[in-house]
Amino acid sequence: MVYKYYPHWKFFLMNLTGWISSCENLVIATVVATLTTFATRREFDRLPEFLGVAFGSLLVTYLAQVCFNWFTTDAVRHLNRTLRAQVFRGMVTQPTGTDDAALGFLTNDFKLLETNRFQAEISMLISAYTLVMAFGYALYLNWLITLIFFVGSCAPMLVSNLFQKPLERASENWSHQNDQYVNQTKNFLAGAGTIARYHAQDAAVAKNQAMVDLLEAALAKMNLRNLVGNACINVTANLCTFLLPFLVGVYLIVRGQTTLGVLFAIVQLSNSFVNPILTILAQRNNLATTRQIVERLNRYVAAGQQTLPASAPALGELAFRQVTLQRQQRTLLHNLDLTIHAGEKIAVIGRSGSGKSTLLTYLWSGQFGHAQTVQLNHQSVQASQLAGVFAYASQSPVIFAGTLRFNLTLGASVSDDRLTALCQELDLGDLVAKEGLDYSLGSNADQLSGGQLARIELGRALLSQRPILLLDEMTAALDKQTALDIHQRLWHSKLTIIEAIHHYTPADLVHYDQVVNVDTLATASAGR
């Protein structure tokens, strides 16, 4: 992931400085071997020159290590910044919003991704350089002792494989428990007022604590398996990668097949190709703990990279044939035919729970149903491709932590005159006159009435200039006169409107070109 998302020129420099810094142990091994040889041969006249070269070489590797650490920090910062933006874009690209676990993904899961994926990949990279450099130099000094050290260092790999699958299962369980905990906690916090009202704090804490216990038990199990695995790997490494090869080296010295300086150098180097192997194995376990997180991240990134329509298509006629709606394994409607012409006003009526809102959701998202055919201006399309055709306002308005201007425009460029005029039409003129368009709703939304919030969402929908406006009982929170004023404006406009209505009079339906009675359709469907 580092190579994929980090600028390649920086990635190259990170590799270069990492490679230079990995030569540190080679310099130290050379110093050990040379000083041992000087001591055994009493060649002290060459010592000052050699120490000068050794000091200069170590200084270069130190400076390279400083640069490598900077690139490492910069890479993690860049990946976090880039991927958080792409993941968030993928989340807000979902037509019906994302799930409750999304917040947990951006916090807990992303932190685990940083430590167990980004930093693990970089650690494995520098370990690989250190391994190759040290192993190559050790082979040059004495290939037999080096091979014995290296074969012994392969033993920890076998031990690591024994812990791989159990660790993956423990990681999956922890991720599941984390999602459950975040969802429950978010639900309790959303209803904190109700909990306080009925003095149910103890019950809420107890229920939340039970979920915390499950979460922490899953995390402890994952960490314990990781620690036990690493401990077993370390024990195996000490026995097979140091003690046995060192005894062989002593035997070769006794037989005159190598020197003490060479053995000391290879022993020094062995840490530089044994420890990197241990590091790579440990980091591989860390990578395994992030496998599901990476898969989920890739889905979000892919969703955020989908091409959005440049502009909404012009509407002549939109026809749905043989629509079936299903929700929670229950069929709400069957074989509905609906044709929408530009400028028409369509009312959707029916009792609560009959499927009015579900029908509107299907129209703009394609969810909860399917149609035999969908044609836009006599051209076949998929229902899921119509998101850019619809604007939407509901009885439960969505208000963002931003200004009134942002909540109306969602960042689009709209003149103050146009915004002010629209607010006047929606009976928000007094609010604008008093507080201004840059009035912050992030901390002040609770000071506005439900009717004001509903009108803000309606203003947002109107400014989007989508071909069709969907209204889901939008006027439910408005007083009768304000609702009538807004309806009069909408009824006499050239807008194409589909409105789900719960409370109405027969006189109200006169203003609509079509009336879709969901109750009648559902009864007919049940009778088939």
Side-chain angles (χ1 to χ4, degrees):
M1 296 188 72
V2 177
Y3 175 77
K4 182 177 180 180
Y5 292 103
Y6 196 44
H8 287 179
W9 69 272
K10 286 187 175 182
F11 184 77
F12 169 77
L13 291 178
M14 182 174 69
N15 278 265
L16 178 61
T17 54
W19 174 76
I20 295 174
S21 66
S22 69
C23 296
E24 178 184 3
N25 282 334
L26 273 67
V27 175
I28 294 176
T30 302
V31 170
V32 170
T34 303
L35 290 180
T36 302
T37 300
F38 284 172
T40 55
R41 296 179 181 178
R42 298 183 179 277
E43 298 176 350
F44 300 113
D45 56 318
R46 299 169 54 190
L47 186 59
E49 178 184 356
F50 174 76
L51 290 178
V53 173
F55 177 78
S57 300
L58 287 174
L59 180 60
V60 171
T61 60
Y62 168 75
L63 293 176
Q65 181 65 47
V66 172
C67 293
F68 177 76
N69 289 339
W70 184 89
F71 280 114
T72 298
T73 304
D74 184 65
V76 172
R77 179 198 64 81
H78 182 86
L79 264 66
N80 272 331
R81 183 177 180 275
T82 301
L83 289 176
R84 283 183 186 274
Q86 293 189 18
V87 167
F88 183 73
R89 179 178 178 83
M91 288 178 174
V92 298
T93 299
Q94 307 300 314
T96 55
T98 188
D99 52 42
D100 292 336
L103 180 60
F105 182 83
L106 283 173
T107 53
N108 298 335
D109 285 358
F110 225 93
K111 187 62 180 176
L112 188 67
L113 192 67
E114 174 186 326
T115 57
N116 286 14
R117 173 65 61 164
F118 305 157
Q119 293 179 356
E121 287 183 356
I122 296 173
S123 178
M124 292 174 72
L125 184 69
I126 190 65
S127 296
Y129 285 139
T130 302
L131 169 63
V132 171
M133 297 292 292
F135 185 65
Y137 187 47
L139 283 175
Y140 168 76
L141 293 175
N142 187 296
W143 66 270
L144 179 59
I145 299 177
T146 300
L147 287 180
I148 294 174
F149 269 100
F150 186 75
V151 170
S153 68
C154 293
M157 296 182 185
L158 301 176
V159 177
S160 175
N161 288 332
L162 297 177
F163 290 89
Q164 191 70 19
K165 289 297 182 181
L167 184 60
E168 288 182 10
R169 290 194 294 269
S171 173
E172 292 173 2
N173 182 46
W174 175 83
S175 182
H176 172 72
Q177 294 297 340
N178 182 64
D179 288 345
Q180 295 288 99
Y181 168 72
V182 170
N183 290 342
Q184 186 191 73
T185 302
K186 183 178 180 180
N187 178 260
F188 275 132
L189 292 178
T194 300
I195 292 173
R197 184 179 305 116
Y198 295 105
H199 304 297
Q201 290 91 340
D202 291 342
V205 169
K207 196 169 183 62
N208 186 256
Q209 187 62 45
M211 189 61 69
V212 170
D213 292 341
L214 292 175
L215 174 65
E216 292 303 320
L219 179 62
K221 185 176 182 179
M222 181 180 71
N223 289 338
L224 179 61
R225 288 189 174 179
N226 197 17
L227 292 172
V228 170
N230 290 338
C232 291
I233 291 172
N234 288 331
V235 170
T236 304
N238 288 330
L239 292 176
C240 298
T241 64
F242 176 74
L243 183 59
L244 179 61
F246 190 80
L247 291 175
V248 173
V250 171
Y251 173 75
L252 293 178
I253 291 174
V254 172
R255 291 182 59 99
Q257 295 178 347
T258 191
T259 65
L260 186 61
V262 168
L263 177 60
F264 283 173
I266 294 178
V267 169
Q268 174 65 36
L269 287 171
S270 68
N271 291 327
S272 298
F273 60 78
V274 172
N275 289 340
I277 290 177
L278 298 179
T279 299
I280 291 173
L281 293 176
Q283 297 298 356
R284 189 182 72 165
N285 288 340
N286 287 335
L287 293 180
T289 65
T290 64
R291 184 168 300 169
Q292 285 191 324
I293 298 177
V294 171
E295 291 175 356
R296 190 174 178 185
L297 180 144
N298 289 335
R299 289 196 297 270
Y300 281 131
V301 170
Q305 292 175 343
Q306 292 179 359
T307 303
L308 300 177
S311 60
L315 176 67
E317 178 183 284
L318 178 58
F320 295 84
R321 295 291 178 263
Q322 304 291 297
V323 175
T324 297
L325 297 183
Q326 290 181 317
R327 198 161 190 173
Q328 297 179 344
Q329 299 181 339
R330 175 190 167 202
T331 299
L332 299 175
L333 295 177
H334 189 61
N335 290 343
L336 165 66
D337 290 336
L338 178 63
T339 301
I340 308 162
H341 296 95
E344 278 192 328
K345 312 297 186 288
I346 300 175
V348 180
I349 62 174
R351 67 186 185 281
S352 297
S354 59
K356 301 188 300 296
S357 298
T358 302
L359 175 59
L360 266 59
T361 301
Y362 166 74
L363 292 178
W364 65 265
S365 71
Q367 291 195 329
F368 309 124
H370 58 86
Q372 182 175 331
T373 60
V374 180
Q375 289 189 328
L376 176 60
N377 301 330
H378 308 289
Q379 298 292 324
S380 294
V381 294
Q382 297 294 322
S384 57
Q385 298 175 313
L386 297 176
V389 173
F390 297 100
Y392 181 79
S394 72
Q395 58 183 318
S396 302
V398 175
I399 301 298
F400 297 99
T403 62
L404 173 60
R405 182 195 306 274
F406 178 81
N407 273 275
L408 288 170
T409 66
L410 295 183
S413 179
V414 182
S415 68
D416 286 3
D417 290 342
R418 184 179 175 191
L419 289 177
T420 302
L422 177 67
C423 290
Q424 289 287 352
E425 293 179 14
L426 296 178
D427 199 20
L428 293 171
D430 291 344
L431 175 63
V432 174
K434 179 181 179 182
E435 305 291 352
L437 292 169
D438 293 317
Y439 177 58
S440 176
L441 299 186
S443 57
N444 298 310
D446 58 346
Q447 298 181 22
L448 302 181
S449 67
Q452 288 175 310
L453 299 179
R455 279 172 273 158
I456 291 173
E457 184 171 68
L458 176 59
R460 179 193 305 154
L462 293 173
L463 283 172
S464 71
Q465 294 186 311
R466 297 288 179 84
I468 301 176
L469 175 61
L470 300 178
L471 302 177
D472 187 4
E473 301 186 35
M474 186 276 306
T475 59
L478 304 180
D479 62 84
K480 186 175 181 180
Q481 186 57 50
T482 301
L484 179 59
D485 292 342
I486 291 177
H487 268 121
Q488 289 289 349
R489 177 189 184 278
L490 296 176
W491 288 333
H492 293 90
S493 71
K494 296 181 179 180
L495 297 171
T496 306
I497 299 173
I498 304 176
E499 182 177 8
I501 311 172
H502 185 65
H503 299 289
Y504 62 91
T505 65
D508 293 331
L509 299 183
V510 174
H511 298 282
Y512 296 91
D513 300 290
Q514 294 186 54
V515 176
V516 178
N517 190 329
V518 178
D519 289 339
T520 302
L521 292 171
T523 302
S525 174
R528 287 188 179 94

